[in-house]
Amino acid sequence: MVCCNNKQDNTENFNYHVDRFADIEILRYRVSGFEALTLPQKQLIYHLSEAALMGRDIFFDQNNRYNLSIRRALEAVYLNYNGNKEDVDFKSLEIYLKRVWFSSGIHHHYAEDKFVPGFSSDFFVQCIHRLDPSLLPLREGQTTDQWLQEIIPVMFRPEIMAKRSVQSGEHDLIALSANHYYGEGVTMKEVEEFYAKLNDPKDPRPVSHGLNSRLVKEDNRLVEKVWKVGGLYTHAIEKIVVELQKAISFAENDAQKAVIEKLIAYYQTGDLKTFDAYSILWLQDTDSEVDFVNGFIETYGDPLGLKASWESIVNFINNEATQRTKIISANAQWFEDHSPTDSRFRKKEVVGVSAKVITVAMLGGDCYPATPIGINLPNSNWIRKEYGSKSVTIENITEAYDKASQGNGFTEEFVWSDRERELITLYGFLSDNLHTDLHECLGHGSGQILPDVSPDALKAYGSALEEARADLFALYYLADPKMIELGLLPDEEAYKSEYYKYMMNGLMTQLVRIEPGKNVEQAHMRNRQLVASWVFEKGIADNVTELRKREGKTYVVVNDYNKLRSLFGTLLSEVQRIKSEGDFEAGKQLVETYGVKVNPALHAEVLERYNLLNLAPYKGFVNPVMKVIQNNAGDVSDIVMDYSESYVEQMLRYGKNYSFLPAYN
């Protein structure tokens, strides 16, 4: 808890830019409207935010079993270094540490390749030997030299633990992945067989087996180590539970109280049926102004899509902006009925669709420092079918991206003409947010899988295809006259801004996030390239879109927006079929053909042009600091947001105050 006796809210001259290093820029987001909340709402947000920070170490450890050890050693060196801090090696160590903080480990947060230090192993060894051994994360009975012998290859040899998560290929994806969702020696075949025995294809309400556990070998037998109180990660989960218990006192209503209590029960037992019960309560709580996500949620980091990373977001509703998502959710059945997909794959009755625009107040785990701009949960297919889903668009994050990008020269360099730039200026922020609304609110919740089709049938390709399905749903409907009829877009030109940006990003500009010679690996990037490349190829005969040269530079040109929409609809129909039927081979072919390979010449050109702009291709955020104000009697009288903390200050504070797990778990 951070306490003070005077109000402090550094919002004047708000600066979105915080730090810049490697390929990353750190921004800050403004929590507008927090000051207008009631004191109990602020206290609820405070304790939920503390819970969001308590699980930070979990995500580090999930990403790689050496992450906590390496991070703590680097922090010890950074804080105790008594040499020249302007030395090249020390400055390189500082950048490496910043990258480890940002990526929650030693692998790139997006590309998932291991980044190699810019300093020498000799320098690192010298720094470690200068430290008191009590400052190092040594195993019991381990010497400093033994620790170095174990850690040096992991940090400095690129071929060891080379990739956090390998998402495709003909090899053993589990054995090749450096994440910590599985124990040493566990193979992909063993994992698939283990969970195949647990899954009952006739169960209409299956739990998400494997979601909250690590699968390991003990005495040559596979065993699940469950993440719960008294189980794996208990030291952090106990702290999360304490803050959740404090939050109950400030719950806005009985429904919200029940949600928090059920989440606590899930953490205490690790029971996946309890998690489903919590998920249902959470999505049905649509009256509370304050909301949150906390737990083992998304499975993108596991090549098999089974194990979930730990994440948290704390937020409150943006009532004004939520009017547009209310309109969307109120018309959910219309959108489902008019989908270009086969009628067999549409929901006959859309239930429980709710959506809102939120202001995020705290980010944690897999949502920090890099964060999503929208969320649709729960992920369970049977819960979606029977109870619906809840979606959010995080508008103060999209606002921060928008404000920080103004005047950076990107559109002048990559957009074809003044006409497209004018569309982006007029409609870009609105169409971006509406695309996110449609993607999260309706896209992920649309359609249905056929009976007896496993939700995990698409395996490693499931994440990219699901994101493509939601994107295509949003793109298809952005251009529908219904958008104007509902008052969501002002005119028939507005959608073109999003169409142009999507094609430009999918075909070209997202390549700035890929290193030369590498393929596209991250699920969202594969999705965008798949969609853009497929419609580009299928539209060649009608010259729907083209890559046109001007003065030696390549640009995306859209010649026929109506036909482009038709192609989006055709691809949506096929991707929905693949998901509904569990057609693994067709899904694999679609992703591998259109979503993975990179044109090396175009890639080199895009990188060269982007580098001249001196922009960082990746962005993330520092959180505000919540300061508790006490009156003379020691009672809480207010909580205010402070935006003055730097990136390094925040990361060191989190390392000191929110680090509960052993270095090795």
Side-chain angles (χ1 to χ4, degrees), residues 21-35:
F21 53 91
D23 57 355
I24 293 162
E25 182 176 13
I26 303 296
L27 307 174
R28 58 172 53 93
Y29 57 91
R30 187 198 294 269
V31 191
S32 300
F34 181 81
E35 64 282 352

Side-chain angles (χ1 to χ4, degrees), residues 45 116 120 162 283 316 326 352 385 410 435 479 487 495 569 630 644:
I45 289 173
V116 179
S120 68
L283 74 88
F316 56 92
K326 285 184 176 179
K385 182 178 180 180
F410 178 83
H435 180 273
Y495 79 91
Q630 297 176 332
S644 62

Side-chain angles (χ1 to χ4, degrees), residues 336 341-347 381 446-455 457-458 466 469 572-583:
E336 186 77 2
T341 59
D342 190 299
S343 60
R344 294 179 302 142
F345 310 139
R346 297 184 210 144
K347 289 179 178 175
N381 282 291
S446 66
Q448 62 182 356
I449 62 174
L450 298 181
D452 300 330
V453 172
S454 169
L458 302 179
E466 174 57 22
R469 193 176 71 91
L572 171 59
S573 179
E574 172 60 5
V575 173
Q576 181 63 63
R577 183 199 67 77
I578 289 170
K579 172 152 186 157
S580 295
E581 296 181 348
D583 190 343

Side-chain angles (χ1 to χ4, degrees), residues 80-362:
N80 295 278
Y81 188 75
N82 56 12
N84 181 8
K85 293 189 176 180
E86 297 304 314
D87 179 79
V88 173
D89 277 327
F90 182 80
K91 299 300 287 185
S92 296
L93 182 141
E94 181 180 33
I95 292 173
Y96 182 77
L97 175 56
K98 287 182 176 182
R99 296 186 74 181
V100 168
W101 284 331
F102 189 89
S103 298
S104 298
I106 60 175
H107 295 86
H108 196 280
H109 74 288
Y110 216 79
E112 301 197 2
D113 296 311
K114 188 170 73 174
F115 41 84
V116 179
F119 51 92
S120 68
S121 59
D122 288 343
F123 173 76
F124 184 66
V125 169
Q126 292 170 9
C127 290
I128 294 298
H129 276 303
R130 290 171 184 162
L131 290 174
D132 186 315
S134 65
L135 298 175
L136 292 174
L138 304 178
R139 299 178 191 271
E140 185 176 354
Q142 189 179 43
T143 67
T144 298
D145 283 334
Q146 288 171 335
W147 181 85
L148 283 167
Q149 187 176 11
E150 183 179 15
I151 293 297
I152 289 295
V154 176
M155 287 180 61
F156 290 91
R157 289 178 58 183
E159 74 277 9
I160 294 178
M161 296 185 165
K163 200 168 191 66
R164 188 171 77 188
S165 180
V166 177
Q167 295 288 341
S168 63
E170 303 300 328
H171 303 289
D172 189 321
L173 303 183
I174 301 301
L176 292 175
S177 297
N179 63 45
H180 203 193
Y181 292 119
Y182 301 94
E184 293 185 71
V186 176
T187 68
M188 185 169 72
K189 183 174 183 293
E190 289 173 328
V191 174
E192 291 176 334
E193 290 176 349
F194 181 88
Y195 288 110
K197 292 177 182 178
L198 295 179
N199 290 321
D200 179 1
K202 296 182 180 180
D203 186 353
R205 298 179 182 88
V207 299
S208 301
H209 288 296
L211 189 74
N212 65 334
S213 66
R214 182 186 303 152
L215 190 63
V216 303
K217 277 185 177 178
E218 290 185 351
D219 298 324
N220 207 32
R221 185 172 63 91
L222 289 174
V223 177
E224 282 191 311
K225 297 290 187 180
V226 179
W227 306 323
K228 65 172 184 174
V229 171
L232 202 54
Y233 298 145
T234 185
H235 301 87
I237 294 175
E238 289 170 25
K239 299 288 186 181
I240 295 169
V241 167
V242 167
E243 292 300 328
L244 292 175
Q245 289 170 332
K246 292 178 181 178
I248 290 175
S249 301
F250 304 102
E252 297 175 277
N253 49 57
D254 289 342
Q256 189 178 66
K257 180 181 178 182
V259 170
I260 301 172
E261 288 175 337
K262 190 63 72 173
L263 178 59
I264 291 171
Y266 166 59
Y267 273 134
Q268 290 173 331
T269 64
D271 181 72
L272 289 169
K273 286 188 179 293
T274 303
F275 176 70
D276 285 346
Y278 151 75
S279 298
I280 293 168
L281 290 173
W282 175 81
L283 74 88
Q284 291 179 327
D285 177 19
T286 56
D287 294 329
S288 302
E289 289 198 15
V290 176
D291 205 352
F292 72 106
V293 172
N294 186 300
F296 303 102
I297 308 295
E298 300 293 355
T299 59
Y300 294 121
D302 177 7
L304 299 185
L306 298 171
K307 309 295 180 183
S309 59
W310 188 89
E311 66 178 52
S312 186
I313 284 183
V314 184
N315 62 84
F316 56 92
I317 192 169
N318 179 333
N319 282 299
E320 181 179 355
T322 292
Q323 295 309 309
R324 71 170 187 264
T325 56
K326 285 184 176 179
I327 293 171
I328 291 171
S329 57
N331 287 274
Q333 191 66 57
W334 184 92
F335 287 100
E336 186 77 2
D337 292 343
H338 290 80
S339 170
T341 59
D342 190 299
S343 60
R344 294 179 302 142
F345 310 139
R346 297 184 210 144
K347 289 179 178 175
K348 302 300 182 288
E349 182 181 1
V350 177
V351 298
V353 173
S354 67
K356 58 185 176 180
V357 178
I358 63 168
T359 298
V360 71
M362 191 62 65

Side-chain angles (χ1 to χ4, degrees), residues 9 407 486 518:
D9 190 350
L486 294 174
K518 297 290 181 67

